[in-house]
């Protein structure tokens, strides 16, 4: 694996290898990398978890993290993504982790770039490192993906997390269902009510409404969204034994999920964040190993 752009490009073997290495890191194993690599995190969209956990993972596998501040970079002066990445490569960067607002920004980097590129979220496209940490969380819980019922709820068409997870989970044998308002189904066939979806779900994965990717000014009511699509106490009470709640976060409490459920027994929301560090260590090791 030279780069990580999309879950669509990964085979099941590659996915399972990364999950195995994440588990090894969680169990205290050290990175197999023979030397230190120079990496930078180029975040052109807001981020708390993804950026910080990549940075933590980079340090834990022995990388040198070169600071990059997107808001004060030459991108503001009109430099293309290609020129920015090529410049960092010439300075000596081995890998760049990029989050950007354009879908498939990485297409610009397919030719002429030799440093590794990891997609940390492209617009409403893909978010492969989030998907891998979600897969790791599910695998830790159930040991397998086959025949699990996974219900993904929320702003499906604008969510890169939904798309990456739908691709990967389906490939791994899970049964993925979507629940969302009609206008957010996009290319997916979706349910528009919770009826019949709660009791047999092994995982209920909630998504934040992606207001920043919406066009037009249709009014959004937090309260009516919560009533129709939110995970309320009443709905949680109908979930089966052993079923879990996930959310990539940031969470809008009392919108996607009732405030008090965020840290309830079934919730894996904060564990997902922790698992993200191990998974990103595994991603970095797998990609940087190719350069040895
Ligand atoms: C997600 C993202 O950026 O796509 N967050 C994350 O990386 N954990 C989800 C979101 O912003 O809603």
């Amino acid at each position: 694996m030279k780069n990580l752009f999309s879950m669509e490009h990964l085979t099941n073997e590659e996915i399972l290898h990364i999950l195995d290495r994440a588990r090894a890191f969680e169990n205290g194993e050290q990175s197999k990398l023979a030397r230190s690599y120079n990496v930078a995190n180029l975040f052109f969209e807001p981020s708390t978890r993804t950026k910080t956990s990549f940075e933590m993972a980079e340090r834990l596998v022995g990388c040198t993290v070169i600071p990059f501040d997107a808001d004060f970079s030459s991108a503001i002066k009109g430099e293309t993504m290609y020129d920015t990445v090529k410049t960092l490569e010439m300075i000596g960067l081995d890998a760049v982790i990029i989050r950007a607002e354009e879908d498939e920004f990485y297409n610009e980097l397919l030719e002429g770039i030799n440093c590794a590129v990891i997609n940390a979220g492209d617009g409403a496209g893909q978010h492969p490192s989030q998907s891998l940490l979600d897969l790791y969380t599910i695998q830790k819980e159930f040991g397998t993906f086959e025949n699990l019922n996974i219900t993904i709820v929320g702003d499906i068409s604008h969510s890169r997390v939904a798309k990456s997870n739908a691709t990967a989970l389906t490939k791994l044998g899970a049964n993925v269902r979507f629940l969302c308002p009609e206008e957010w189904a996009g290319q997916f066939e979706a349910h528009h009510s919770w009826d019949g979806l709660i009791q047999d779900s092994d995982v209920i994965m909630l998504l934040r409404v992606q207001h920043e990717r919406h066009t037009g000014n249709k009014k959004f009511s937090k309260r009516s969204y919560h009533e129709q699509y939110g995970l309320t106490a009443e709905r949680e009470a109908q979930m089966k034994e052993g079923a879990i709640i996930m959310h990539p976060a940031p969470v809008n409490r009392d919108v996607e999920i009732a405030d008090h459920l965020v840290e309830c027994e079934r919730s894996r929301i904060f564990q997902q964040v922790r698992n993200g560090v191990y998974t990103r260590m595994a991603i970095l090791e797998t990609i940087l190993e190719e350069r040895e």
Side-chain angles (χ1 to χ4, degrees):
M1 223 167 95
K2 283 202 160 71
N3 301 295
L4 177 61
F5 296 139
S6 164
M7 291 309 283
E8 279 164 16
H9 303 154
L10 263 63
T11 63
N12 285 356
E13 289 66 38
E14 285 171 319
I15 293 174
L16 295 173
H17 169 76
I18 290 172
L19 305 191
D20 275 357
R21 291 304 296 153
R23 185 173 301 268
F25 287 129
E26 180 163 13
N27 291 335
E29 218 176 276
Q30 298 294 305
S31 151
K32 292 185 192 158
L33 295 175
R35 67 175 179 92
S36 174
Y37 291 88
N38 297 317
V39 303
N41 301 301
L42 285 56
F43 278 65
F44 298 98
E45 277 194 341
S47 174
T48 294
R49 295 133 281 271
T50 307
K51 185 164 187 256
T52 316
S53 98
F54 260 116
E55 189 161 332
M56 179 64 90
E58 288 153 7
R59 289 167 196 262
L60 289 170
V61 299
C63 291
T64 300
V65 185
I66 306 294
F68 179 90
D69 187 342
D71 290 339
F72 288 91
S73 71
S74 290
I76 304 287
K77 302 180 187 172
E79 188 168 60
T80 63
M81 182 74 85
Y82 176 89
D83 288 342
T84 299
V85 173
K86 191 77 200 169
T87 299
L88 295 173
E89 178 183 312
M90 298 318 285
I91 289 170
L93 273 283
D94 298 294
V96 288
I97 291 78
I98 305 178
R99 167 172 290 190
E101 152 176 67
E102 304 80 44
D103 284 21
E104 298 184 17
F105 67 79
Y106 46 79
N107 284 340
E108 219 188 300
L109 309 175
L110 297 179
E111 298 206 357
I113 298 292
N114 297 311
C115 75
V117 177
I118 298 176
N119 177 8
D122 62 299
Q126 287 269 322
H127 193 347
S129 70
Q130 178 70 43
S131 175
L132 286 159
L133 79 87
D134 289 341
L135 297 175
Y136 180 53
T137 305
I138 295 170
Q139 192 196 50
K140 266 173 75 173
E141 199 71 37
F142 300 100
T144 178
F145 300 97
E146 289 209 19
N147 303 319
L148 290 180
N149 290 327
I150 317 256
T151 307
I152 306 183
V153 188
D155 190 355
I156 309 293
S157 60
H158 300 102
S159 168
R160 49 198 181 203
V161 178
K163 286 173 199 149
S164 290
N165 276 331
T167 308
L169 284 162
T170 306
K171 266 200 287 211
L172 290 163
N175 173 26
V176 178
R177 302 93 60 98
F178 300 101
L179 165 61
C180 65
E182 242 168 78
E183 64 270 29
W184 295 342
Q187 75 212 67
F188 299 99
E189 234 177 80
H191 297 253
H192 305 301
S193 110
W194 281 95
D195 290 350
L197 290 177
I198 305 178
Q199 290 86 347
D200 72 344
S201 284
D202 296 289
V203 177
I204 293 186
M205 183 183 291
L206 306 161
L207 302 169
R208 183 181 62 86
V209 179
Q210 308 281 297
H211 296 289
E212 70 274 33
R213 304 188 205 289
H214 293 179
T215 49
N217 47 8
K218 201 173 159 223
K219 250 189 128 349
F220 174 77
S221 155
K222 291 181 181 176
R223 186 140 165 232
S224 77
Y225 181 86
H226 187 64
E227 277 165 15
Q228 283 188 64
Y229 300 102
L231 189 65
T232 58
E234 214 183 15
R235 293 182 178 128
E236 187 271 339
Q238 298 171 53
M239 288 174 72
K240 72 175 174 188
E241 206 189 317
I244 61 167
I245 300 165
M246 296 175 66
H247 190 313
V251 172
N252 286 142
R253 290 172 181 252
D254 287 330
V255 182
E256 306 90 81
I257 178 168
D259 181 12
H260 76 283
L261 294 179
V262 172
E263 292 189 72
C264 73
E265 212 196 315
R266 295 183 186 284
S267 171
R268 297 294 177 270
I269 297 174
F270 285 105
Q271 282 89 330
Q272 284 173 265
V273 177
R274 169 67 65 122
N275 292 338
V277 177
Y278 307 126
T279 309
R280 292 185 170 108
M281 290 171 77
I283 293 168
L284 288 160
E285 182 193 70
T286 305
I287 285 177
L288 293 170
E289 245 177 356
E290 295 261 329
R291 307 176 75 81
E292 307 209 312

